[in-house]
Amino acid sequence: VMNLGVLQQVGPFEEIYNRPANEFVAGFIGEPPMNFLATEVQSENGVTILQAQDGSFRLNLPPELGRKVDGSGAQNVNVGIRPIDVTAHHSPSDNGRLELGGSVYTFEWLGEEGQLAAQLGAKRVLVVTSHMESFSHGEPVWLQPRTDRIHLFNAATGVAL
């Protein structure tokens, strides 16, 4: 993968898709493109937390992701989530998974799938949904990203953590 004539990453598609070297590669590979959420690193009681820069959400990171962030020394981290790796729900869940609350901006049924654009503070997040789902503009929505599929990038350099 090249960006303006500069080599960014070399490897088989699966490696580039699952372990992008930086934000450019992550956003370039995959359709629809990866969502990026700007956050600030915080710590409370030994737990690493990513606070949205606009204050709209907080992510209490699982220990393995917290160690990645802590080890990087980054003060600001961009969270990358592919639309296919997020589940959208009409109500909050009590399953203990990471969850982000927002509102439906748009929903488009495409036959074999749906595409939901959710408003999280100032940011819109795209989610690929089941063809069985339906959402209406303005209704509350809760997004659960797969924590094993979250990508973290140093916001200052764009390099993957």
Side-chain angles (χ1 to χ4, degrees), residues 103-118:
S103 63
V104 175
Y105 183 74
T106 62
F107 178 76
E108 184 175 9
W109 184 71
L110 301 175
E112 70 280 355
E113 67 184 30
Q115 288 195 355
L116 166 72

Side-chain angles (χ1 to χ4, degrees), residues 51-107:
Q51 171 76 41
Q53 288 184 344
D54 68 3
S56 61
F57 64 85
R58 290 169 45 104
L59 297 175
N60 293 348
L61 292 179
E64 65 276 5
L65 293 178
R67 284 190 292 276
K68 272 187 178 183
V69 171
D70 295 342
S72 75
Q75 296 177 336
N76 295 298
V77 171
N78 291 334
V79 178
I81 306 169
R82 294 199 185 278
I84 196 74
D85 294 326
V86 181
T87 305
H89 301 277
H90 293 277
S91 58
S93 173
D94 61 357
N95 64 11
R97 291 184 52 201
L98 187 65
E99 194 164 58
L100 305 169
S103 63
V104 175
Y105 183 74
T106 62
F107 178 76

Side-chain angles (χ1 to χ4, degrees), residues 24-38:
F24 175 80
V25 173
F28 184 77
I29 299 295
E31 183 60 34
M34 186 178 284
N35 298 293
F36 294 102
L37 304 171

